[in-house]
Every structure is written in structure tokens, then in C-alpha cells.
């Protein structure tokens, strides 16, 4: 996770970003802003990669990859903490171990975690294991944890992407070598996940993201390994659709939101060529309508995140070069996806 922007049950947004010593958190003072409190440091020494997942109950689950020095040498594990209410402290970090509890060398080779909450309220955590496949661990709705299970697969790269539909069906995309990405999905809410067809994706590591673009349908995004262009694919599509953005870096932030009364997909990424963020929107599941990337903000902003605030407006957030939080909100007096001026909120952030 570079930056995540999530809306709580009370309508307030919270931004989470990795920082030295743990995770930085900023929280809206009221739904729709404009004032924020933060950054507050969620302490987690040794945390190198972290992601966030949110269920229908509004609980936010932080899951991270931790490297520490123990009395017997370097140790690696996956850790988890929960925030039950917006702006409130989290639980203590709890170790989930790794898929390789008896082999520290293998444990050090696992990838960054992905996480999602399905319709039963179960949190699932996924990692690339040392063998190049995918391993998962499930927390039941009552808080108990199952053992790590091997979901198989091979040649998996870093950057697993998990998404959940509005009815709670989970999908997982695992970019892999040999011009394919592996996919798992729940055929119906609460069902056991099953392996789907391989996706024709030659994806760059750490470039995948996903969002529900129509009821029950998840669209997956990644960067083509050769061109860097953003690609979009969903089940039953004949082939991935190119969306431009070849000079961008990292995964795109994606959001489904109404624009001028039309159901749209909003995208944002960092354009390495111009050093600024770029934003685009197109009718949901109609990539053929064309995607035009528009520069936004000052040079240096990075790791964009998207969400709808308590008033239903699109909010684009990013990290300033010094780790501070930058926010731009959708205008209500202009047509199209027009954003208000960027503002810095909550003071400087902890350094990465």
C-alpha cells in the first residue's frame, strides 16, 4: 500500500500511508471535510509493506509484512491490526506467521500481502509464497484464524490484487510470468473460492488493481510489461483493453462513481514523464469510448488514492514529496470530472 483512502460508517474519510516506524493516518473531522486531523503514527517497527481492507461493517483491517531482528536472527511474518471505528485507536498488531513456519529462509522470500473481506465477514489474507504460488489465511467473522492454505499457482510476481463486489464475492488477481495472470473468484457469496481461467496479462510487478464496475463484475487493471500502458480486463472480455497512460508508474487508483449522472470509472496515476498526477474517467465498462489522461496538481505528488466522501463526491488524495497528505475534491458547479484546487491537510507526514 502506498496510500489508501477509506470511508467509515460515519461518512468520514481516513487516509493510511506507510511511514517510518509504522503507518501514518489522517482522518476527516466531519463528513465531506475540509478539515482533517493527523497525521497520527500507528506504530509498527519493521513494517515494510502494508495494505488495508474494509468490510461492510466499516472495520478497517491493516495487514503488513514485517521484518525484525530476533535473538535467533532475522525473522519475517505477516501482521494484522483492526480499527473498529473511524479515528479510534487500533488493536495491537497480531502475528499471522507465514506459509513457511519452519523455514526462515523461505519465509524471507514471501511477497507483500493483499487482503479482502467477503460477504460472510471473513477477512482473507494472501501472499506470494516462496515457491512462487499463492498462500492464503482466513479469519472467520468471530475473529478466529484458520491455518495457511496453499492455493497453488506458479511464477507469481509481487503485487497481488484483491477486490470484493457489493454482494461480497471476492476476486484475486496474481500477476505471473509467461504472459498470464492467475485468477481466483467466489462463484457466489459465501462460496469457497475457486481457480478461474488464466488472464492474458503480461503485467509488470506491483501494478495490479481492481474495482467493481457493474453489479457483480470486477474489472482488473495492470501495466503491460513491455509498453507500460494501463490495461483493463474483466471476465468474458475477448482481450484486455488498452487505456493509454504508458508514461505512468505503479498501479492506477480506480473508483466507480457517477459523473454528470453517468455511471463512470475514474482512474488516477502518477505520470513519470511530467512528474504530476494524471486523472481520467470513462463510462463504466466502455473503454472503447476513449480515455484521456489530464494532468493534475504540482510536480512531485505520488501514490494517488480515490474515494467518495460523505457527500458522494469524488476525492483524490496523494502524498507530497515530504510524506504530507494532499487532497482535491470534485467540483459541484462544473460538468465532467472537475477537481477543486489541491490542498495540504493535517500538517506534514512522517517520513517514509
Amino acid at each position: 500500500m502506498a496510500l489508501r483512502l477509506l470511508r467509515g460508517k460515519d461518512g468520514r474519510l481516513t487516509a493510511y500511508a506507510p511511514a517510518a516506524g509504522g503507518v501514518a493516518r489522517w482522518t476527516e473531522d466531519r463528513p465531506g471535510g475540509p478539515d482533517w486531523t493527523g497525521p497520527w503514527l500507528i506504530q509498527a517497527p519493521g513494517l515494510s509493506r502494508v495494505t488495508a481492507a474494509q468490510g461492510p461493517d466499516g472495520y478497517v483491517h491493516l495487514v503488513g509484512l514485517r521484518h525484525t531482528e530476533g535473538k535467533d536472527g532475522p525473522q519475517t511474518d505477516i501482521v494484522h491490526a483492526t480499527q473498529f471505528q473511524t479515528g479510534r485507536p487500533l488493536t495491537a498488531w497480531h502475528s499471522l506467521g507465514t506459509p513457511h513456519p519452519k523455514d526462515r529462509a523461505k519465509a524471507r522470500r514471501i511477497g507483500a500481502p493483499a487482503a479482502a473481506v467477503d460477504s460472510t465477514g471473513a477477512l482473507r489474507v494472501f501472499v506470494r509464497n516462496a515457491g512462487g504460488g499463492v498462500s492464503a489465511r482466513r479469519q472467520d467473522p468471530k475473529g478466529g484464524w484458520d491455518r495457511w492454505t496453499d492455493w497453488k499457482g506458479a511464477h507469481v510476481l509481487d503485487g497481488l490484487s484483491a477486490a470484493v463486489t457489493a454482494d461480497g464475492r471476492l476476486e484475486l488477481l496474481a500477476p505471473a510470468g509467461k504472459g498470464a495472470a492467475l485468477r481466483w473468484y467466489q462463484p457466489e457469496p459465501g462460496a469457497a473460492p475457486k481457480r478461474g481461467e488464466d488472464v492474458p496479462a503480461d503485467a509488470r510487478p506491483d501494478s495490479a488493481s481492481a474495482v467493481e464496475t457493474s453489479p457483480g463484475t470486477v474489472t482488473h487493471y495492470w501495466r503491460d510489461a513491455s509498453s507500460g500502458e494501463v490495461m483493463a480486463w474483466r471476465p468474458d472480455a475477448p482481450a484486455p483493453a488498452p487505456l493509454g497512460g504508458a508514461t505512468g508508474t505503479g498501479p492506477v487508483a480506480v473508483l466507480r462513481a457517477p459523473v454528470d449522472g453517468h455511471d463512470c470509472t475514474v482512474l488516477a496515476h502518477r505520470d513519470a514523464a511530467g512528474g504530476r498526477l494524471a486523472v481520467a474517467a470513462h463510462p463504466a465498462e466502455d473503454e472503447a469510448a476513449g480515455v484521456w489522461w489530464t494532468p493534475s496538481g504540482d510536480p512531485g505528488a505520488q501514490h494517488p488514492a480515490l474515494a467518495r466522501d460523505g457527500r458522494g463526491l469524488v476525492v483524490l488524495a496523494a502524498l507530497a514529496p515530504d510524506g504530507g497528505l494532499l487532497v482535491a475534491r470534485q467540483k459541484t458547479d462544473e460538468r465532467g470530472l472537475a477537481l477543486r484546487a489541491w490542498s495540504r491537510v493535517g500538517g506534514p507526514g512522517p517520513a517514509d
Side-chain angles (χ1 to χ4, degrees):
M1 174 184 75
L3 177 67
R4 289 295 304 275
L5 193 61
L6 300 174
R7 189 175 68 193
K9 293 289 272 188
D10 65 357
R12 290 188 292 162
L13 294 175
T14 302
Y16 304 86
V23 179
R25 186 185 77 181
W26 297 261
T27 305
E28 280 187 317
D29 291 349
R30 61 188 60 83
D35 297 324
W36 296 65
T37 297
W40 180 62
L41 181 65
I42 303 168
Q43 295 188 358
L47 205 65
S48 63
R49 302 287 294 272
V50 63
T51 190
Q54 187 177 34
D57 54 13
Y59 297 174
V60 175
H61 300 270
L62 297 183
V63 181
L65 177 64
R66 181 173 65 181
H67 301 283
T68 55
E69 287 291 334
K71 59 183 179 181
D72 298 325
Q75 297 184 2
T76 300
D77 63 347
I78 300 295
V79 292
H80 166 249
T82 306
Q83 178 179 296
F84 295 108
Q85 289 182 290
T86 302
R88 302 295 296 169
L90 280 75
T91 64
W93 292 95
H94 170 70
S95 176
L96 305 183
T98 76
H100 312 288
K102 298 181 180 179
D103 193 323
R104 291 186 180 181
K106 286 185 176 180
R108 288 196 293 271
R109 301 205 303 271
I110 67 174
V117 181
D118 68 16
S119 64
T120 68
L123 170 68
R124 295 180 187 268
V125 176
F126 311 94
V127 297
R128 174 183 52 77
N129 58 43
V134 171
S135 292
R137 196 168 183 188
R138 176 183 178 272
Q139 183 188 39
D140 64 42
K142 295 183 179 180
W145 285 91
D146 298 339
R147 295 183 178 182
W148 285 99
T149 58
D150 187 355
W151 282 22
K152 307 301 181 181
H155 309 294
V156 170
L157 306 173
D158 241 344
L160 308 182
S161 173
V164 176
T165 61
D167 64 0
R169 291 187 303 103
L170 178 147
E171 288 209 20
L172 177 75
L173 189 78
K178 300 187 177 180
L182 314 183
R183 175 176 169 263
W184 288 262
Y185 70 100
Q186 288 178 302
E188 55 188 49
K194 61 185 294 185
R195 176 80 176 268
E197 74 276 21
D198 288 353
V199 180
D202 189 10
R204 288 183 178 177
D206 290 318
S207 72
S209 55
V211 71
E212 184 180 26
T213 49
S214 65
T217 300
V218 171
T219 299
H220 297 275
Y221 303 84
W222 64 87
R223 290 194 184 280
D224 183 75
S226 298
S227 68
E229 189 170 22
V230 177
M231 310 297 291
W233 179 91
R234 57 189 155 269
D236 299 327
L243 302 181
T247 58
T249 61
V252 294
V254 290
L255 176 71
R256 182 181 172 195
V259 178
D260 293 339
H262 300 286
D263 186 9
C264 289
T265 300
V266 181
L267 307 100
H269 70 171
R270 184 171 187 268
D271 186 348
R276 303 167 66 190
L277 299 185
V279 184
H282 66 82
E285 300 189 353
D286 187 9
E287 292 83 6
V291 175
W292 291 269
W293 295 92
T294 302
S296 180
D298 295 329
Q302 55 190 327
H303 307 310
L306 287 162
R308 293 177 67 188
D309 68 12
R311 297 184 294 162
L313 301 178
V314 173
V315 177
L316 175 59
L319 293 180
D322 65 355
L325 183 66
L326 305 171
V327 173
R329 295 181 187 270
Q330 183 180 9
K331 292 182 178 181
T332 57
D333 54 356
E334 290 187 23
R335 294 185 58 81
L337 183 63
L339 298 175
R340 297 192 181 280
W342 284 85
S343 62
R344 186 183 180 107
V345 301
D352 279 350

